[in-house]
């Protein structure tokens, strides 16, 4: 994955999240994507911190919007490999 592509994906993710466009945000993930978060493990212990697939990702990010309505992201650094962008 090229640096310019990973940068573009990161910008699209941040824009979708900050605009609270859940469909666009979830659409950036593969259907079988997995997301791990220590915060998820605390909020939903039954998940052991891991959600899988679009439906679970949608639920997690909608919950984030509700829990933290002023949360927004700003791009600082992009790290990526063939399977993920951080």
């Amino acid at each position: 994955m090229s640096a310019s592509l990973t940068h573009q994906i990161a910008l699209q993710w941040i824009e979708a999240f900050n605009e609270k466009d859940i469909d666009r945000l979830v659409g950036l993930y593969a259907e079988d994507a997995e997301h791990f978060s220590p915060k998820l493990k605390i909020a939903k212990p039954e998940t052991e911190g891991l959600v899988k697939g679009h439906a679970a990702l949608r639920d997690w990010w909608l919950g984030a919007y509700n829990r933290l309505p002023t949360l927004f992201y700003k791009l600082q650094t992009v790290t990526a490999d063939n399977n993920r962008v951080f």
Side-chain angles (χ1 to χ4, degrees):
M1 191 177 299
S2 72
S4 64
L5 181 57
T6 58
H7 187 82
Q8 181 182 10
I9 291 168
L11 288 175
Q12 289 175 8
W13 191 97
I14 289 168
E15 184 178 273
F17 185 91
N18 289 345
E19 292 178 5
K20 296 181 175 42
D21 186 338
I22 192 68
D23 292 328
R24 190 165 42 134
L25 180 66
V26 172
L28 291 169
Y29 291 87
E31 285 285 336
D32 60 348
E34 297 181 357
H35 174 76
F36 176 81
S37 169
K39 293 179 182 179
L40 177 59
K41 192 172 186 176
I42 292 167
K44 295 184 173 197
E46 70 279 6
T47 67
E48 297 184 5
L50 184 69
V51 292
K52 298 177 184 181
H54 279 189
L57 285 164
R58 176 181 297 277
D59 182 53
W60 173 243
W61 292 122
L62 284 174
Y65 293 152
N66 291 328
R67 286 186 312 280
L68 305 162
T70 61
L71 177 64
F72 73 95
Y73 288 93
K74 180 179 176 184
L75 182 63
Q76 293 184 340
T77 302
V78 176
T79 302
D81 62 25
N82 289 335
N83 297 311
R84 64 194 100 199
V85 177
F86 297 101

Coordinates of all heavy atoms in Angstrom, one line a residue:
M1 N 0.9 -1.2 0.0 CA 0.0 0.0 0.0 C 0.9 1.2 0.0 O 1.8 1.3 0.8 CB -0.9 0.0 1.2 CG -2.0 1.0 1.2 SD -3.2 0.9 2.6 CE -3.9 -0.7 2.5
S2 N 0.7 2.1 -0.9 CA 1.5 3.3 -1.0 C 1.3 4.3 0.1 O 0.2 4.3 0.7 CB 1.3 4.0 -2.4 OG 0.1 4.7 -2.4
A3 N 2.2 5.1 0.4 CA 2.1 6.2 1.4 C 1.0 7.1 1.1 O 0.2 7.5 2.0 CB 3.4 6.9 1.6
S4 N 0.8 7.5 -0.2 CA -0.2 8.4 -0.6 C -1.6 7.8 -0.4 O -2.6 8.5 0.1 CB -0.1 8.9 -2.0 OG -0.2 7.9 -2.9
L5 N -1.8 6.5 -0.6 CA -3.0 5.8 -0.5 C -3.4 5.7 1.0 O -4.5 6.0 1.4 CB -3.0 4.4 -1.1 CG -4.3 3.6 -1.0 CD1 -5.5 4.4 -1.6 CD2 -4.2 2.3 -1.6
T6 N -2.4 5.4 1.8 CA -2.7 5.3 3.3 C -3.1 6.6 3.9 O -4.0 6.7 4.7 CB -1.5 4.6 4.1 OG1 -0.4 5.4 3.9 CG2 -1.3 3.2 3.6
H7 N -2.4 7.7 3.4 CA -2.7 9.0 3.8 C -4.1 9.4 3.4 O -4.9 9.9 4.2 CB -1.7 10.0 3.3 CG -1.8 11.4 3.8 ND1 -1.3 11.8 5.0 CD2 -2.5 12.5 3.3 CE1 -1.6 13.0 5.2 NE2 -2.3 13.5 4.2
Q8 N -4.5 9.0 2.2 CA -5.9 9.3 1.7 C -6.9 8.6 2.5 O -7.9 9.1 2.9 CB -6.0 8.9 0.2 CG -7.3 9.2 -0.4 CD -7.4 8.7 -1.8 OE1 -6.5 8.0 -2.3 NE2 -8.5 9.1 -2.5
I9 N -6.7 7.3 2.8 CA -7.6 6.5 3.7 C -7.8 7.2 5.0 O -8.9 7.3 5.6 CB -7.2 5.1 3.8 CG1 -7.3 4.4 2.4 CG2 -8.0 4.3 4.8 CD1 -6.6 3.0 2.3
A10 N -6.6 7.5 5.6 CA -6.7 8.2 7.0 C -7.5 9.4 6.9 O -8.3 9.7 7.8 CB -5.3 8.4 7.4
L11 N -7.3 10.3 5.9 CA -8.0 11.5 5.8 C -9.5 11.2 5.6 O -10.4 11.9 6.2 CB -7.5 12.4 4.7 CG -6.2 13.0 4.9 CD1 -5.7 13.7 3.6 CD2 -6.2 14.0 6.1
Q12 N -9.9 10.3 4.8 CA -11.3 9.9 4.6 C -11.9 9.4 5.9 O -13.1 9.8 6.2 CB -11.4 8.8 3.5 CG -11.1 9.3 2.1 CD -11.2 8.2 1.1 OE1 -11.5 7.0 1.4 NE2 -10.7 8.5 -0.1
W13 N -11.2 8.6 6.7 CA -11.7 8.1 7.9 C -11.9 9.3 8.9 O -13.0 9.3 9.5 CB -10.7 7.1 8.5 CG -11.3 6.4 9.7 CD1 -11.8 5.1 9.6 CD2 -11.4 6.8 11.1 NE1 -12.2 4.7 10.9 CE2 -12.0 5.8 11.8 CE3 -11.0 7.9 11.7 CZ2 -12.2 5.8 13.1 CZ3 -11.2 8.0 13.1 CH2 -11.8 7.0 13.8
I14 N -11.0 10.1 9.0 CA -11.1 11.3 9.9 C -12.3 12.2 9.5 O -13.1 12.6 10.4 CB -9.8 12.1 10.0 CG1 -8.7 11.2 10.8 CG2 -10.0 13.4 10.7 CD1 -7.3 11.8 10.6
E15 N -12.4 12.4 8.3 CA -13.5 13.3 7.8 C -14.8 12.6 8.1 O -15.7 13.3 8.6 CB -13.3 13.5 6.3 CG -14.3 14.5 5.7 CD -14.1 14.8 4.2 OE1 -13.3 15.7 3.9 OE2 -14.7 14.0 3.4
A16 N -15.0 11.4 7.8 CA -16.2 10.7 8.0 C -16.5 10.6 9.5 O -17.7 10.9 9.9 CB -16.2 9.2 7.4
F17 N -15.6 10.3 10.3 CA -15.8 10.3 11.8 C -16.2 11.7 12.3 O -17.2 11.8 13.0 CB -14.6 9.8 12.5 CG -14.8 9.7 14.0 CD1 -15.3 8.5 14.5 CD2 -14.7 10.8 14.9 CE1 -15.6 8.3 15.8 CE2 -15.0 10.6 16.2 CZ -15.5 9.4 16.7
N18 N -15.4 12.7 11.9 CA -15.7 14.0 12.4 C -17.1 14.6 11.9 O -17.7 15.4 12.6 CB -14.6 15.0 12.1 CG -13.3 14.7 12.9 OD1 -13.3 14.0 13.9 ND2 -12.2 15.2 12.4
E19 N -17.5 14.2 10.8 CA -18.8 14.6 10.3 C -19.9 13.7 10.8 O -21.1 13.9 10.4 CB -18.8 14.6 8.7 CG -17.9 15.7 8.2 CD -17.8 15.7 6.7 OE1 -18.5 14.9 6.0 OE2 -17.0 16.5 6.2
K20 N -19.6 12.7 11.5 CA -20.5 11.7 12.1 C -21.3 11.0 10.9 O -22.5 10.7 11.1 CB -21.4 12.3 13.1 CG -20.6 12.8 14.3 CD -21.5 13.4 15.4 CE -20.8 13.7 16.7 NZ -19.5 14.3 16.6
D21 N -20.6 10.7 9.8 CA -21.2 10.0 8.7 C -20.9 8.6 8.9 O -20.0 8.0 8.3 CB -20.6 10.6 7.4 CG -21.3 10.0 6.2 OD1 -21.9 9.0 6.2 OD2 -21.1 10.7 5.1
I22 N -21.8 7.9 9.6 CA -21.6 6.5 10.0 C -21.5 5.6 8.8 O -20.7 4.6 8.8 CB -22.6 6.0 11.0 CG1 -22.2 4.7 11.6 CG2 -24.0 5.9 10.4 CD1 -21.0 4.7 12.5
D23 N -22.3 5.8 7.8 CA -22.3 5.0 6.6 C -20.9 5.1 5.9 O -20.4 4.0 5.5 CB -23.4 5.3 5.6 CG -24.8 4.9 6.2 OD1 -24.9 4.0 7.0 OD2 -25.8 5.6 5.9
R24 N -20.5 6.3 5.7 CA -19.2 6.5 5.0 C -18.0 5.9 5.9 O -17.1 5.3 5.4 CB -18.9 7.9 4.7 CG -17.7 8.2 3.9 CD -17.7 9.6 3.3 NE -18.1 10.6 4.2 CZ -17.4 11.7 4.4 NH1 -16.4 12.0 3.7 NH2 -17.8 12.6 5.3
L25 N -18.1 6.1 7.2 CA -17.1 5.6 8.1 C -17.0 4.1 8.0 O -15.9 3.5 7.8 CB -17.4 6.0 9.5 CG -16.4 5.6 10.6 CD1 -15.0 6.2 10.4 CD2 -16.9 5.9 12.0
V26 N -18.1 3.4 8.2 CA -18.1 1.9 8.2 C -17.8 1.4 6.8 O -17.1 0.4 6.7 CB -19.5 1.4 8.7 CG1 -19.6 -0.1 8.5 CG2 -19.7 1.8 10.1
G27 N -18.1 2.1 5.8 CA -17.8 1.7 4.4 C -16.3 1.7 4.1 O -15.9 1.1 3.2
L28 N -15.5 2.3 4.9 CA -14.1 2.3 4.8 C -13.4 1.0 5.2 O -12.3 0.8 5.0 CB -13.4 3.5 5.5 CG -13.8 4.9 4.9 CD1 -13.3 6.0 5.8 CD2 -13.1 5.0 3.5
Y29 N -14.2 0.2 6.0 CA -13.7 -1.0 6.5 C -14.1 -2.2 5.6 O -15.2 -2.2 5.0 CB -14.3 -1.3 7.9 CG -13.8 -0.4 9.0 CD1 -14.5 0.8 9.2 CD2 -12.8 -0.8 9.8 CE1 -14.0 1.7 10.2 CE2 -12.4 0.1 10.8 CZ -13.0 1.3 11.0 OH -12.5 2.1 12.0
A30 N -13.3 -3.2 5.5 CA -13.7 -4.5 4.8 C -14.9 -5.1 5.6 O -15.1 -4.9 6.8 CB -12.5 -5.4 4.8
E31 N -15.7 -5.9 4.9 CA -16.9 -6.5 5.5 C -16.5 -7.3 6.7 O -17.2 -7.4 7.7 CB -17.6 -7.4 4.5 CG -18.4 -6.7 3.5 CD -19.7 -6.1 4.1 OE1 -20.2 -6.7 5.1 OE2 -20.3 -5.2 3.5
D32 N -15.3 -8.0 6.7 CA -14.9 -8.8 7.8 C -13.9 -8.2 8.7 O -13.1 -8.8 9.4 CB -14.4 -10.1 7.2 CG -13.2 -10.0 6.3 OD1 -12.9 -8.8 5.9 OD2 -12.5 -10.9 6.0
A33 N -13.8 -6.8 8.7 CA -12.8 -6.1 9.5 C -13.0 -6.4 11.0 O -14.1 -6.6 11.4 CB -13.0 -4.6 9.2
E34 N -11.9 -6.3 11.7 CA -11.9 -6.5 13.1 C -11.3 -5.2 13.7 O -10.3 -4.7 13.2 CB -11.0 -7.7 13.5 CG -11.5 -9.0 13.0 CD -10.7 -10.2 13.4 OE1 -9.6 -10.0 14.1 OE2 -11.1 -11.3 13.1
H35 N -11.9 -4.8 14.8 CA -11.4 -3.6 15.5 C -11.2 -4.0 17.0 O -12.1 -4.4 17.6 CB -12.4 -2.5 15.4 CG -12.1 -1.3 16.2 ND1 -11.1 -0.4 15.8 CD2 -12.5 -0.8 17.3 CE1 -11.0 0.6 16.7 NE2 -11.9 0.4 17.6
F36 N -10.0 -3.7 17.5 CA -9.7 -4.0 18.9 C -9.5 -2.6 19.6 O -8.8 -1.8 19.0 CB -8.4 -4.8 19.1 CG -8.1 -5.0 20.5 CD1 -8.8 -5.9 21.3 CD2 -7.2 -4.2 21.1 CE1 -8.5 -6.1 22.6 CE2 -6.9 -4.3 22.5 CZ -7.5 -5.3 23.2
S37 N -10.0 -2.5 20.8 CA -9.8 -1.3 21.6 C -9.9 -1.7 23.0 O -10.8 -2.3 23.5 CB -10.9 -0.3 21.3 OG -10.8 0.8 22.2
P38 N -8.9 -1.2 23.8 CA -9.0 -1.4 25.3 C -10.3 -0.7 25.8 O -10.9 -1.2 26.8 CB -7.8 -0.7 25.8 CG -6.8 -0.7 24.7 CD -7.7 -0.6 23.5
K39 N -10.7 0.4 25.2 CA -11.9 1.1 25.7 C -13.1 0.2 25.4 O -14.1 0.2 26.2 CB -12.0 2.4 25.0 CG -11.0 3.4 25.4 CD -11.1 4.7 24.7 CE -10.0 5.6 25.2 NZ -10.0 6.9 24.5
L40 N -13.1 -0.5 24.3 CA -14.2 -1.4 24.0 C -14.3 -2.5 25.0 O -15.4 -2.9 25.5 CB -14.0 -2.0 22.6 CG -15.0 -3.1 22.1 CD1 -16.4 -2.5 22.1 CD2 -14.6 -3.5 20.7
K41 N -13.1 -3.0 25.4 CA -13.1 -4.1 26.4 C -13.7 -3.6 27.7 O -14.4 -4.4 28.4 CB -11.6 -4.5 26.6 CG -11.5 -5.8 27.4 CD -10.0 -6.2 27.4 CE -9.9 -7.6 28.1 NZ -8.5 -8.1 28.0
I42 N -13.5 -2.4 28.1 CA -14.1 -1.8 29.3 C -15.6 -1.6 29.1 O -16.4 -1.9 30.0 CB -13.4 -0.5 29.7 CG1 -12.0 -0.8 30.1 CG2 -14.1 0.2 30.8 CD1 -11.1 0.4 30.2
A43 N -16.0 -1.0 28.0 CA -17.4 -0.6 27.8 C -18.3 -1.9 27.5 O -19.4 -1.9 28.0 CB -17.5 0.3 26.6
K44 N -17.7 -2.9 26.9 CA -18.5 -4.1 26.5 C -17.6 -5.3 26.8 O -17.0 -5.9 25.9 CB -18.9 -4.1 25.1 CG -19.9 -2.9 24.7 CD -20.4 -3.0 23.3 CE -21.5 -2.0 23.1 NZ -22.2 -2.3 21.9
P45 N -17.4 -5.7 28.1 CA -16.5 -6.8 28.4 C -16.8 -8.1 27.7 O -15.8 -8.8 27.4 CB -16.7 -7.0 29.9 CG -17.4 -5.7 30.4 CD -18.1 -5.1 29.2
E46 N -18.0 -8.3 27.3 CA -18.3 -9.6 26.6 C -17.6 -9.7 25.2 O -17.4 -10.7 24.7 CB -19.8 -9.7 26.4 CG -20.5 -8.8 25.4 CD -20.8 -7.4 26.0 OE1 -20.4 -7.0 27.1 OE2 -21.4 -6.6 25.2
T47 N -17.2 -8.5 24.7 CA -16.4 -8.5 23.4 C -15.0 -8.9 23.5 O -14.3 -9.1 22.5 CB -16.5 -7.2 22.7 OG1 -15.8 -6.2 23.5 CG2 -18.0 -6.7 22.5
E48 N -14.5 -8.8 24.8 CA -13.0 -8.9 25.0 C -12.2 -7.9 24.3 O -11.1 -8.1 23.9 CB -12.5 -10.4 24.8 CG -13.2 -11.4 25.7 CD -12.7 -12.8 25.6 OE1 -11.7 -13.0 24.8 OE2 -13.3 -13.7 26.2
G49 N -12.9 -6.8 23.9 CA -12.2 -5.7 23.2 C -12.2 -5.8 21.7 O -11.6 -4.9 21.1
L50 N -12.9 -6.8 21.2 CA -12.8 -7.0 19.7 C -14.2 -7.0 19.1 O -15.1 -7.7 19.6 CB -12.1 -8.3 19.4 CG -11.9 -8.7 18.0 CD1 -10.9 -7.7 17.3 CD2 -11.4 -10.1 17.8
V51 N -14.4 -6.2 18.1 CA -15.7 -6.3 17.3 C -15.3 -6.7 15.9 O -14.2 -6.4 15.4 CB -16.5 -5.0 17.3 CG1 -17.0 -4.7 18.7 CG2 -15.6 -3.8 16.8
K52 N -16.2 -7.4 15.2 CA -16.0 -7.9 13.9 C -17.1 -7.6 13.0 O -18.3 -7.8 13.3 CB -15.8 -9.4 13.9 CG -14.6 -9.9 14.8 CD -14.6 -11.4 14.8 CE -13.4 -11.9 15.7 NZ -13.3 -13.3 15.8
G53 N -16.8 -7.1 11.8 CA -17.8 -6.8 10.8 C -18.5 -5.5 10.9 O -18.4 -4.8 11.9
H54 N -19.2 -5.1 9.8 CA -19.8 -3.8 9.7 C -20.8 -3.5 10.8 O -20.9 -2.4 11.3 CB -20.4 -3.7 8.3 CG -19.4 -3.3 7.2 ND1 -19.8 -2.9 6.0 CD2 -18.1 -3.2 7.2 CE1 -18.8 -2.7 5.2 NE2 -17.7 -2.9 6.0
A55 N -21.7 -4.5 11.1 CA -22.7 -4.2 12.1 C -22.1 -3.9 13.4 O -22.6 -2.9 14.1 CB -23.7 -5.4 12.2
A56 N -21.1 -4.6 13.8 CA -20.5 -4.4 15.1 C -19.7 -3.1 15.1 O -19.7 -2.3 16.1 CB -19.6 -5.6 15.5
L57 N -19.1 -2.8 14.0 CA -18.4 -1.5 13.9 C -19.3 -0.4 13.9 O -19.1 0.7 14.6 CB -17.6 -1.5 12.6 CG -16.3 -2.3 12.6 CD1 -15.8 -2.5 11.1 CD2 -15.2 -1.7 13.4
R58 N -20.4 -0.5 13.3 CA -21.5 0.6 13.3 C -21.9 0.8 14.7 O -22.0 2.0 15.2 CB -22.6 0.2 12.4 CG -23.8 1.2 12.4 CD -24.9 0.7 11.5 NE -24.5 0.6 10.1 CZ -24.5 1.6 9.3 NH1 -24.9 2.8 9.7 NH2 -24.1 1.5 8.0
D59 N -22.2 -0.2 15.4 CA -22.7 -0.1 16.8 C -21.6 0.6 17.7 O -22.0 1.4 18.5 CB -23.0 -1.5 17.3 CG -23.5 -1.5 18.8 OD1 -24.5 -0.7 19.0 OD2 -23.0 -2.2 19.6
W60 N -20.4 0.1 17.5 CA -19.3 0.7 18.3 C -19.1 2.2 18.0 O -19.1 3.0 18.9 CB -18.0 0.0 18.0 CG -16.8 0.6 18.7 CD1 -15.7 1.1 18.1 CD2 -16.6 0.8 20.1 NE1 -14.9 1.6 19.0 CE2 -15.4 1.4 20.3 CE3 -17.3 0.5 21.3 CZ2 -14.8 1.8 21.5 CZ3 -16.8 0.8 22.5 CH2 -15.6 1.4 22.6
W61 N -19.1 2.6 16.8 CA -18.9 4.0 16.5 C -20.1 4.9 16.8 O -19.9 6.0 17.2 CB -18.4 4.2 15.0 CG -17.1 3.6 14.7 CD1 -16.7 2.6 13.8 CD2 -15.9 3.9 15.4 NE1 -15.4 2.4 13.9 CE2 -14.8 3.1 14.9 CE3 -15.5 4.8 16.5 CZ2 -13.5 3.2 15.3 CZ3 -14.2 4.9 16.9 CH2 -13.2 4.1 16.4
L62 N -21.3 4.3 16.6 CA -22.5 5.1 17.0 C -22.5 5.3 18.6 O -22.8 6.4 19.0 CB -23.8 4.4 16.6 CG -24.2 4.5 15.2 CD1 -25.4 3.6 14.9 CD2 -24.4 5.9 14.8
G63 N -22.0 4.3 19.3 CA -21.9 4.4 20.7 C -20.9 5.5 21.1 O -21.1 6.3 22.0
A64 N -19.8 5.5 20.3 CA -18.8 6.6 20.6 C -19.3 8.0 20.4 O -19.1 8.9 21.2 CB -17.6 6.3 19.7
Y65 N -20.1 8.1 19.3 CA -20.8 9.4 19.1 C -21.6 9.8 20.2 O -21.7 11.0 20.6 CB -21.6 9.4 17.8 CG -20.9 9.2 16.5 CD1 -21.5 8.6 15.4 CD2 -19.6 9.7 16.3 CE1 -20.8 8.5 14.2 CE2 -18.9 9.5 15.1 CZ -19.6 8.9 14.1 OH -18.9 8.8 12.9
N66 N -22.4 8.9 20.8 CA -23.3 9.1 21.9 C -22.5 9.4 23.2 O -22.9 10.3 24.0 CB -24.3 8.0 22.1 CG -25.3 7.9 20.9 OD1 -25.6 8.9 20.3 ND2 -25.7 6.7 20.6
R67 N -21.5 8.6 23.5 CA -20.7 8.7 24.7 C -19.9 10.0 24.7 O -19.7 10.6 25.8 CB -19.8 7.5 24.9 CG -20.5 6.3 25.3 CD -19.5 5.2 25.7 NE -18.4 5.0 24.7 CZ -18.5 4.3 23.5 NH1 -19.7 3.7 23.2 NH2 -17.5 4.1 22.7
L68 N -19.3 10.3 23.6 CA -18.4 11.4 23.5 C -18.7 12.4 22.3 O -18.0 12.4 21.3 CB -17.0 10.9 23.2 CG -16.5 9.9 24.3 CD1 -15.3 9.0 23.8 CD2 -16.1 10.6 25.6
P69 N -19.8 13.1 22.4 CA -20.3 13.9 21.3 C -19.4 15.0 20.8 O -19.5 15.4 19.6 CB -21.6 14.5 21.8 CG -21.5 14.5 23.3 CD -20.6 13.3 23.6
T70 N -18.4 15.4 21.5 CA -17.5 16.4 21.1 C -16.2 15.8 20.6 O -15.3 16.5 20.1 CB -17.2 17.4 22.1 OG1 -16.6 16.8 23.3 CG2 -18.5 18.2 22.6
L71 N -16.0 14.5 20.6 CA -14.8 13.8 20.1 C -14.6 14.1 18.6 O -15.5 14.0 17.8 CB -14.9 12.3 20.4 CG -13.7 11.5 19.9 CD1 -12.4 11.9 20.7 CD2 -14.0 10.0 20.0
F72 N -13.4 14.4 18.3 CA -13.0 14.6 16.9 C -11.5 14.2 16.8 O -10.8 14.1 17.8 CB -13.2 16.0 16.4 CG -12.2 17.0 16.9 CD1 -11.1 17.3 16.2 CD2 -12.4 17.6 18.1 CE1 -10.2 18.2 16.7 CE2 -11.5 18.5 18.6 CZ -10.4 18.8 17.9
Y73 N -11.1 13.8 15.6 CA -9.8 13.4 15.3 C -9.1 14.4 14.4 O -9.7 15.1 13.6 CB -9.8 12.0 14.6 CG -10.1 10.9 15.6 CD1 -11.4 10.5 15.7 CD2 -9.1 10.3 16.4 CE1 -11.7 9.4 16.6 CE2 -9.5 9.3 17.3 CZ -10.7 8.9 17.4 OH -11.0 7.9 18.2
K74 N -7.8 14.5 14.5 CA -6.9 15.3 13.7 C -5.7 14.5 13.3 O -5.1 13.8 14.2 CB -6.5 16.5 14.5 CG -5.6 17.5 13.7 CD -5.2 18.7 14.5 CE -4.3 19.6 13.8 NZ -3.8 20.7 14.6
L75 N -5.4 14.5 12.0 CA -4.3 13.6 11.5 C -3.0 14.2 12.0 O -2.7 15.4 11.9 CB -4.3 13.6 10.0 CG -3.3 12.7 9.4 CD1 -3.4 11.3 9.8 CD2 -3.3 12.9 7.9
Q76 N -2.2 13.3 12.6 CA -0.9 13.6 13.0 C 0.2 12.7 12.4 O 1.2 13.2 11.9 CB -0.7 13.5 14.6 CG -1.5 14.6 15.3 CD -1.3 14.6 16.8 OE1 -0.9 13.6 17.3 NE2 -1.7 15.7 17.4
T77 N -0.1 11.4 12.4 CA 0.9 10.5 11.8 C 0.1 9.3 11.2 O -0.9 8.9 11.8 CB 1.8 9.9 12.9 OG1 2.5 11.0 13.5 CG2 2.8 8.9 12.3
V78 N 0.5 8.8 10.1 CA -0.1 7.6 9.5 C 0.9 6.5 9.5 O 2.1 6.7 9.1 CB -0.5 7.9 8.1 CG1 -1.1 6.6 7.4 CG2 -1.6 9.0 8.0
T79 N 0.5 5.3 10.1 CA 1.3 4.1 10.0 C 0.4 3.1 9.4 O -0.7 2.9 9.7 CB 1.6 3.7 11.5 OG1 2.3 4.7 12.1 CG2 2.5 2.4 11.5
A80 N 1.0 2.3 8.5 CA 0.2 1.3 7.7 C 1.1 0.1 7.3 O 2.3 0.2 7.2 CB -0.4 2.0 6.5
D81 N 0.3 -0.9 7.1 CA 0.9 -2.1 6.4 C -0.1 -2.6 5.4 O -1.0 -1.9 5.1 CB 1.4 -3.2 7.4 CG 0.2 -3.8 8.2 OD1 -0.9 -3.7 7.7 OD2 0.5 -4.3 9.3
N82 N 0.1 -3.8 4.9 CA -0.9 -4.3 3.9 C -2.3 -4.5 4.3 O -3.2 -4.7 3.5 CB -0.3 -5.5 3.2 CG 0.9 -5.3 2.4 OD1 1.1 -4.2 1.9 ND2 1.7 -6.3 2.2
N83 N -2.5 -4.5 5.6 CA -3.8 -4.9 6.2 C -4.5 -3.8 7.0 O -5.7 -3.9 7.3 CB -3.7 -6.1 7.1 CG -3.3 -7.3 6.3 OD1 -3.8 -7.6 5.2 ND2 -2.3 -8.0 6.8
R84 N -3.8 -2.7 7.3 CA -4.4 -1.7 8.2 C -3.7 -0.4 8.1 O -2.5 -0.3 7.7 CB -4.3 -2.2 9.7 CG -2.9 -2.4 10.2 CD -2.8 -3.2 11.4 NE -2.4 -4.5 11.0 CZ -2.5 -5.6 11.8 NH1 -3.0 -5.5 12.9 NH2 -2.2 -6.8 11.3
V85 N -4.4 0.6 8.5 CA -4.0 2.0 8.5 C -4.3 2.5 9.9 O -5.4 2.4 10.4 CB -4.7 2.9 7.5 CG1 -4.2 4.3 7.6 CG2 -4.4 2.4 6.1
F86 N -3.3 3.1 10.6 CA -3.4 3.7 11.9 C -3.2 5.2 11.8 O -2.3 5.7 11.2 CB -2.4 3.1 12.9 CG -2.6 1.7 13.2 CD1 -1.7 0.8 12.6 CD2 -3.5 1.2 14.0 CE1 -1.8 -0.6 12.8 CE2 -3.6 -0.1 14.3 CZ -2.8 -1.0 13.7

